[in-house]
Amino acid sequence: MRCGALFAALLTGLSLILPLGAEESGVYFWHRERGEAAERMLAACSPWRIYLLRGEFRKGKKAVLLPLPELPDGVPVFRLDARVWEEEAFAESFARILRNEKARELQLDCDVPESRLRQYGAFLEELRRRVPEKRFSVTLLPCHLRHPEELKRLFRHLDFFVLQLHALERPGDLPEEYHLFDPVAAARAVEQATQLEKPFKMALPVYAYRLHYEEKTGRFRRLSAENRPPRRPGERVEIAAPDWQELLRFRKRYAQIPVIWFRLPMAGDRLCLELENLRRLDAGLPPEVRIVCSSRREGARTELYWTNHGTLGEGEFTQVLGGGAGEAFFFHGVHPAAPAVPGCVPEAVRGPVPPPGETLKIGEIIQWIPTRSN
C-alpha cells in the first residue's frame, strides 16, 4: 500500500508538468523582433518544439527573411500570401531559400482561398520535387475541409497539416459578441479532419485581439495584436480573449491530437498568456488568473507591487490601501482612486494591470502610519 501510494503521488506530480497528448506539444513564435530577449524566451520553452516565423512573401513586394536563432529542433515557418505562389518563377526562387535551411522540417502558412486549393496542391508538388530532402507541413482552415478531393492531392506532398482553430471569422458589428475560440465550431472541424486519414495537429490560441469599433455606430473597423497601435479618434476598443475553461475542456476532449499553441509572448506583451500559465494549460490545468498585491518594507519606505497572473488585455485594477499618514508616490500610471490630501495615503489606488507574468513596483510610501482599521 505504501509503494502504491508513493507511485500515485509521483503520477500526480508528473501530471502537473506533462502535456496531455502522447506527442510533445509545440508553440508558435510569431514576433518579428529578434535579439537577446527573444533568445531568452525561446531557451525557456524546452522541451516544446518551436515553430518560428522565418519569412514573409507577398506578391509584388520584396521577400522578408527574419534571423533564425539556434534551435536544435526548431521548425521555420514561411508566411505566403494567397497569390505570390502563382508567379511562375516563385517556385524556383523559393526552393533555393528552402534548400539552404538547416532545419529538416519546414512549414508553410497560407490562407489559401477554397477555389485555389487545387492550384496550391500543384505548387506544393513542384516545391517537393525541387526540395525532396525536407519534411513539409502546411496550415489549413476549417473551410478547406469541405474539399476532400482537392486535399487528397495536396496531402500527397505533406507529412502532416496544422488545423487552425482560432480567429476563424471576421468580427461583426456591436453588439454582436466575437468569439476568438468557438469550441462547437472547433469540434466540428476536428471531427471532419479525422475523416481525412492524414496526420494533423491543432493550433489553439493563448492570445487576445484588440477589436476596434466606431464609437458612435458600433461598426467594426479593424483588429490589432502585439504592438499597441494608436487609438484613432472616435474609436472604441474591446478585448477578445479565449475562455480558458472552454479551451481546457476542448483540449482534454481531443487529448490524443497534438497541439501547437499560438503564440509565445515577449516581455511587455499584454495580449498573450505568460509562459507559466501556458505550461499549466498544456498540462491540463486551468490558468491561474489573478492580480497579486504585495509590499516590502525598507526602513521608513514601504514599496508596493502588483503581479499579474493570466489577465490579458489593457484593463485597470484597484487596490485598497486603507488610508493613513505618509508621503505616497505612484508609478506606471497608477494614481489615487479619489483626490488625495497631501501627507495622507489614499484609501485606494487605480491603474493599468501589468503585462501577464510580470511584477511592477507601482508605488512607495514614506513613513506610512496606517489607520487603526487598516
Side-chain angles (χ1 to χ4, degrees):
M1 289 294 292
R2 185 172 298 175
C3 291
L6 178 60
F7 182 66
L10 286 171
L11 286 179
T12 301
L14 285 173
S15 70
L16 297 178
I17 58 173
L18 294 179
L20 288 172
E23 183 176 331
E24 201 69 60
S25 300
V27 63
Y28 281 105
F29 186 79
W30 218 241
H31 290 268
R32 276 72 173 168
E33 297 86 352
R34 298 291 191 267
E36 291 184 5
E39 291 179 4
R40 283 196 300 270
M41 172 57 68
L42 295 172
C45 291
S46 178
W48 286 327
R49 170 168 279 193
I50 308 297
Y51 290 78
L52 186 95
L53 181 62
R54 174 71 167 107
E56 295 183 275
F57 299 80
R58 299 181 183 278
K59 187 173 184 177
K61 295 188 177 182
K62 186 178 179 180
V64 176
L65 280 178
L66 300 168
L68 189 65
E70 287 293 332
L71 293 173
D73 203 25
V75 179
V77 182
F78 296 86
R79 178 90 172 115
L80 313 180
D81 76 8
R83 304 301 298 270
V84 67
W85 46 270
E86 296 177 340
E87 297 174 351
E88 186 173 346
F90 179 72
E92 174 53 34
S93 62
F94 188 45
R96 284 198 299 270
I97 293 173
L98 300 187
R99 284 194 294 267
N100 288 328
E101 292 293 316
K102 295 180 181 179
R104 57 187 176 85
E105 181 181 327
L106 307 170
Q107 187 173 110
L108 306 186
D109 177 52
C110 180
D111 295 336
V112 184
E114 295 176 66
S115 61
R116 306 293 292 169
L117 275 175
R118 185 177 295 274
Q119 290 83 352
Y120 191 49
F123 164 70
L124 289 176
E125 181 178 9
E126 177 66 15
L127 198 62
R128 287 302 297 263
R129 186 182 68 80
R130 296 174 183 270
V131 193
E133 69 276 14
K134 305 288 188 182
R135 298 181 72 243
F136 275 86
S137 64
V138 301
T139 59
L140 293 177
L141 299 169
C143 62
H144 296 140
L145 305 180
R146 297 194 289 253
H147 307 277
E149 292 305 314
E150 286 82 354
L151 290 179
K152 285 180 182 178
R153 178 180 180 182
L154 190 146
F155 286 164
R156 289 202 295 266
H157 315 297
L158 300 176
D159 293 275
F160 67 92
F161 68 95
V162 179
L163 183 61
Q164 179 180 323
L165 296 174
H166 55 92
L168 300 177
E169 302 291 340
R170 183 183 187 276
D173 299 333
L174 293 175
E176 181 181 327
E177 188 177 356
Y178 178 68
H179 296 281
L180 184 66
F181 174 75
D182 181 344
V184 176
R188 185 165 55 245
V190 168
E191 296 299 335
Q192 283 183 279
T194 56
Q195 304 301 314
L196 297 174
E197 299 182 347
K198 184 70 177 180
F200 72 97
K201 302 183 180 186
M202 305 184 294
L204 296 178
V206 285
Y207 70 98
Y209 271 140
R210 298 182 198 88
L211 307 180
H212 301 253
Y213 299 92
E214 289 183 9
E215 194 165 22
K216 289 185 178 180
T217 65
R219 181 175 298 173
F220 174 72
R221 281 182 170 180
R222 61 193 174 115
L223 56 79
S224 62
E226 296 184 29
N227 299 322
R228 184 174 187 173
R231 180 178 295 195
R232 298 171 185 169
E235 269 193 345
R236 170 180 171 181
V237 178
E238 301 286 340
I239 299 294
D243 181 309
W244 302 125
Q245 293 296 337
E246 285 186 345
L247 186 63
L248 186 58
R249 284 194 294 269
F250 180 86
R251 176 72 182 98
K252 289 181 176 180
R253 178 180 176 183
Y254 297 105
Q256 77 280 10
I257 301 175
V259 168
I260 308 177
W261 300 102
F262 188 89
R263 55 182 168 77
L264 275 177
M266 285 282 282
D269 191 342
R270 295 180 177 274
L271 298 181
C272 196
L273 201 64
E274 73 272 29
L275 201 56
E276 176 187 356
N277 264 326
L278 178 51
R279 291 193 186 280
R280 288 179 60 87
L281 195 62
D282 192 48
L285 300 170
E288 181 183 4
V289 181
R290 62 192 180 110
I291 310 296
V292 176
C293 303
S294 59
S295 62
R296 184 173 63 186
R297 193 74 177 264
E298 292 284 346
R301 184 175 70 250
T302 301
E303 298 176 342
L304 306 176
Y305 297 88
W306 288 354
T307 302
N308 176 8
H309 297 279
T311 300
L312 275 56
E314 294 153 340
E316 292 198 328
F317 176 72
T318 299
Q319 178 183 1
V320 175
L321 298 177
E327 291 293 333
F329 306 90
F330 302 102
F331 320 120
H332 302 292
V334 177
H335 56 86
V341 177
C344 294
V345 176
E347 288 289 329
V349 292
R350 184 170 177 81
V353 172
E358 296 190 18
T359 297
L360 288 181
K361 179 183 175 181
I362 60 96
E364 59 182 37
I365 304 171
I366 309 300
Q367 294 182 335
W368 187 7
I369 304 175
T371 60
R372 289 188 177 183
S373 60
N374 187 4

